[in-house]
Amino acid sequence: MTTADSAVPDLKNLTISVLGGTGPQGRGLARRFAQAGLTVVIGSRTQEKGAATGAELAAATGGAITGTDNLSAAEAGDLVLVVVPWEGHDQLLESLKQALAGKVVVDCVNPLGFDKQGAYALKVEEGSATEQAAAILTESTVVGAFHNVSATLLEDPEVTSVETDVLVLGDEREATDLVQALADTVPGMRGVYAGRRRNAHQVEALTANLISVNRRYKAHAGVRVTDI
Amino acid sequence: MTTADSAVPDLKNLTISVLGGTGPQGRGLARRFAQAGLTVVIGSRTQEKGAATGAELAAATGGAITGTDNLSAAEAGDLVLVVVPWEGHDQLLESLKQALAGKVVVDCVNPLGFDKQGAYALKVEEGSATEQAAAILTESTVVGAFHNVSATLLEDPEVTSVETDVLVLGDEREATDLVQALADTVPGMRGVYAGRRRNAHQVEALTANLISVNRRYKAHAGVRVTDI
């Protein structure tokens, strides 16, 4: 590219890996990226589960998407999304530290608890899942994003446009630009820079509020930033 | 009212007090409520400052707005907004505990710190400013709201429609309904129920992200909730 945004590499030349890609959120994101024409590798706890979901999504989208285990997916990806449960987040990243070195890692994890009154934010020693990932993956560039996107909408083939902003948190401009560009590949979605990693906690925790909104309004809520 | 929402008292019969109403955010909210035809009393640290700002806004809006000290404003209000700096928030509320008993109190305070890298969320022992207010004002009904609304837009007389949602946090349905109705009186603004008080922290802290957005995009950012 010779344009002003030449710092953003062409996403079509990159492999996008989605760790935890067999859960609703990861599967939904992988589906949308494959539909957008990107090369996607799903990671799962087992090679078999990953491969099965990859094959399903390839059939559903006609896209370049395959699946395998999390380690192989981490190794295959140029840009690696982490969409795993909060429980075990740290151990998984410890185990993938070498495979993820030198890469942009996008943490999409919301540390939430649930009780009768609904969802609430869990305390995280490092401040947020994104900061925990950055603390573990010292040789990767960690960005936080895709926290507030409804899995239901992502997975619904009838939804042609996912009308929401993706708040992108990070300290390295090239990496946040890249992740914004990734969000922009999905129709209706817009990547918005929303601050440094130290301000990731509240974006992760805001998902608890959106769950309250969904319950009250029977919706699949997301957020848009106004005036930009 | 005989409609289904008869639980919401007619805001026109209530006095809306805005403590800290001489700062940009409080002044901006007071201006908009006065423009909407509501009766507004501004509170300030001194009676003189409050009265001066009240007179200015009465002249600017032609509305029913006056100003006085914070204690007199707290006593005068049926619905009382707290729009004071985080520093001193607890002492002020302690001093007004009796005056605010039996009332709906809307905490609008964002506990933020600032350094060279911008804004960040401060740790609050009670979890959030809203929860701190609830811990102190045990005889009031505390709601959190109006955290993410741009003071610049509120204060700009050229801005006829303030295009943003107001996330309303609280544990008592009648009170959150009332505060949503208050937000709805301002053209462009929409009150959205966004969860219980325990989920107020991230909404307060999200203001740090909006400050990052404003810096990056040269904007006066707010939030909209999608799909509702």
Side-chain angles (χ1 to χ4, degrees), chain B residues 51-177:
Chain B
T53 300
E56 270 169 43
L57 288 177
T61 64
I65 180 165
T66 56
T68 181
D69 60 275
N70 279 324
L71 175 60
S72 304
E75 287 168 341
D78 300 300
L79 180 58
V80 181
L81 278 73
V82 180
V83 201
V84 300
W86 170 240
E87 179 103 41
H89 176 260
D90 51 352
Q91 291 102 310
L92 179 74
L93 294 184
E94 293 279 8
S95 76
L96 299 177
K97 184 178 162 111
Q98 275 200 299
L100 295 173
K103 301 181 177 184
V104 174
V105 175
V106 187
D107 204 284
C108 314
V109 174
N110 296 319
L112 297 181
F114 294 87
D115 62 19
K116 280 184 200 162
Q117 299 195 328
Y120 58 95
L122 296 175
K123 294 251 180 292
V124 177
E125 201 189 315
E126 296 85 354
S128 61
T130 301
E131 286 163 291
Q132 182 182 83
I136 295 169
L137 304 174
T138 50
E139 290 166 65
S140 307
T141 304
V142 174
V143 171
F146 300 105
H147 299 101
N148 310 317
V149 187
S150 160
T152 308
L153 297 183
L154 289 171
E155 290 219 276
D156 186 344
E158 305 288 307
V159 174
T160 52
S161 183
V162 182
E163 293 294 333
T164 190
D165 285 347
V166 170
L167 303 184
V168 177
L169 292 309
D171 292 11
E172 296 81 15
R173 178 71 184 253
E174 246 181 80
T176 56
D177 282 353

Side-chain angles (χ1 to χ4, degrees), chain A residues 22-226:
Chain A
T22 54
Q25 192 80 13
R27 211 165 50 204
L29 287 169
R31 165 189 282 270
R32 296 292 167 171
F33 298 144
Q35 272 177 346
L38 305 182
T39 303
V40 180
V41 176
I42 277 180
S44 181
R45 263 172 294 183
T46 67
Q47 193 274 333
E48 293 70 25
K49 271 192 74 181
T53 301
E56 271 171 42
L57 288 177
T61 64
I65 180 165
T66 56
T68 181
D69 60 275
N70 279 324
L71 175 60
S72 304
E75 286 169 342
D78 299 301
L79 181 57
V80 181
L81 278 74
V82 180
V83 202
V84 299
W86 170 241
E87 179 102 42
H89 176 260
D90 51 352
Q91 290 101 309
L92 179 73
L93 294 184
E94 294 280 8
S95 76
L96 300 177
K97 186 178 161 113
Q98 275 198 301
L100 295 172
K103 301 182 177 184
V104 174
V105 176
V106 187
D107 203 283
C108 314
V109 174
N110 296 317
L112 297 181
F114 294 87
D115 62 18
K116 280 183 199 162
Q117 300 196 329
Y120 58 93
L122 296 175
K123 296 252 180 289
V124 177
E125 202 190 313
E126 295 85 353
S128 61
T130 301
E131 287 164 290
Q132 183 183 82
I136 295 169
L137 304 173
T138 49
E139 289 165 65
S140 306
T141 303
V142 175
V143 171
F146 301 104
H147 300 101
N148 309 317
V149 186
S150 160
T152 308
L153 297 183
L154 288 171
E155 290 219 277
D156 186 344
E158 305 288 305
V159 174
T160 52
S161 182
V162 182
E163 293 293 333
T164 191
D165 285 348
V166 170
L167 303 183
V168 177
L169 292 310
D171 292 12
E172 296 80 14
R173 178 71 185 255
E174 244 181 82
T176 58
D177 281 353
L178 180 66
V179 177
Q180 286 179 247
L182 177 64
D184 290 343
T185 63
V186 180
M189 223 182 243
R190 177 177 67 158
V192 175
Y193 172 76
R196 290 173 176 268
R197 278 191 294 272
R198 67 175 181 178
N199 282 318
H201 163 71
Q202 54 265 28
V203 175
E204 297 172 4
L206 191 68
T207 305
N209 300 85
L210 296 178
I211 290 169
S212 299
V213 169
N214 289 346
R215 205 186 254 209
R216 172 68 60 91
Y217 298 91
K218 315 283 176 230
H220 303 296
V223 290
R224 283 280 189 207
V225 178
T226 58

Side-chain angles (χ1 to χ4, degrees), chain B residues 206-228:
Chain B
L206 192 67
T207 305
N209 301 85
L210 296 179
I211 290 169
S212 299
V213 170
N214 289 346
R215 205 186 255 208
R216 171 69 59 92
Y217 298 91
K218 315 285 175 229
H220 302 295
V223 289
R224 284 279 191 208
V225 178
T226 57
D227 198 42
I228 65 165

Side-chain angles (χ1 to χ4, degrees), chain B residues 3 19 40-41 47 60 123 130 139 165 189 195:
Chain B
T3 56
L19 310 185
V40 180
V41 177
Q47 192 277 331
K123 294 251 180 292
T130 301
E139 290 166 65
D165 285 347
M189 224 182 243

